[in-house]
Amino acid sequence: MIELVVFDVAGTTVNEGGTVYRVLADTVRAAGGDPSPAEIEAWMGASKRAAIQALLTDASDAVVDEAFADFRKRLATAYQESPPVPFPGVTELIAALRAAGVKVALSTGFDRETTASLLASIGWGPATLDAVVCIDDVAAGRPAPYMTFHAMEATGVQDVRRVLVAGDTVRDVEAGRNAGAALVVAVLTGEVSQESLADAGPTHVLPGVVEIPELF
């Protein structure tokens, strides 16, 4: 039986129209880089600071810090102009899972401040979720499994074979597999193609997370 579901945020449970990756590309270009669409896709689901550092080849820590601060400002402005919203049925899905005794956690490559602001804007708080794991909470972001393990620790779930991980990027899938989760679900609500997601080796590919209850 699944005891814990760990959902990604942007592109998985929250519809923000791919804004984060457009802002990431704009930020890197403003800092002197020239990322291709493929390079941006390769960093989808990762720590945003790590993505900036990788895309700004050989940049100093000071340059990366400045670019990351710029990214956060640009993203906040973009979200104010076009507010993210939960995908249809997701709020109800989370409530139904928790009512059935399944813990629900979010994991994200966003920092804590950005995550808190985003969740507050859509009305998801401690009463909605059992845990929220940000990149600030772990030593390394996806594809490392640490956010899944941290979600388990936060919710008291001890057996990874009772965990379902769901996300919309290749890194989400890789992180779930690296954690040894029983179910690793790729969803098609983000910016990554079905072919690329399937090649990453999920246990299931679904149109969206609202179809997850059909699995258990």
Side-chain angles (χ1 to χ4, degrees):
M1 173 177 172
I2 296 299
E3 296 180 359
L4 169 65
V5 173
V6 183
F7 288 129
D8 174 53
V9 180
T12 300
T13 52
V14 176
N15 183 4
E16 48 90 78
T19 297
V20 59
Y21 299 116
R22 289 194 293 275
V23 170
L24 176 62
D26 290 345
T27 300
V28 173
R29 291 190 187 102
D34 187 24
S36 68
E39 288 173 323
I40 293 295
E41 181 172 326
W43 284 94
M44 289 181 178
S47 157
K48 304 307 177 280
R49 189 186 189 285
I52 291 169
Q53 187 169 34
L55 293 166
L56 290 175
T57 308
D58 298 325
S60 68
D61 287 345
V63 169
V64 173
D65 287 343
E66 184 176 352
F68 181 54
D70 183 40
F71 166 80
R72 291 173 62 184
K73 290 178 182 178
R74 288 171 181 264
L75 187 65
T77 298
Y79 280 173
Q80 287 175 354
E81 294 173 351
S82 182
V85 295
F87 282 107
V90 172
T91 300
E92 294 79 6
L93 168 65
I94 291 172
L97 288 171
R98 298 182 74 210
V102 178
K103 302 291 180 64
V104 177
L106 299 181
S107 70
T108 177
F110 287 141
D111 61 277
R112 177 64 63 181
E113 183 177 341
T114 300
T115 303
S117 176
L118 172 58
L119 296 183
S121 74
I122 62 176
W124 288 1
T128 310
L129 303 155
D130 295 293
V132 177
V133 182
C134 303
I135 193 63
D136 302 343
D137 300 322
V138 294
R142 307 174 183 120
Y146 305 139
M147 286 200 282
T148 298
F149 295 153
H150 194 80
M152 293 174 63
E153 182 180 22
T155 57
V157 174
Q158 300 181 6
D159 189 348
V160 75
R161 294 170 298 180
R162 297 184 180 275
V163 176
L164 182 154
V165 174
D168 67 301
T169 70
V170 168
R171 286 175 180 262
D172 294 329
V173 173
E174 292 173 340
R177 292 183 59 196
N178 288 340
L183 297 176
V184 180
V185 179
V187 295
L188 303 178
T189 45
E191 303 293 309
V192 181
S193 70
Q194 182 171 351
E195 181 180 7
S196 294
L197 290 170
D199 286 346
T203 59
H204 300 80
V205 179
L206 298 177
V209 295
V210 291
E211 282 79 20
I212 280 176
E214 299 174 10
L215 302 180
F216 58 92

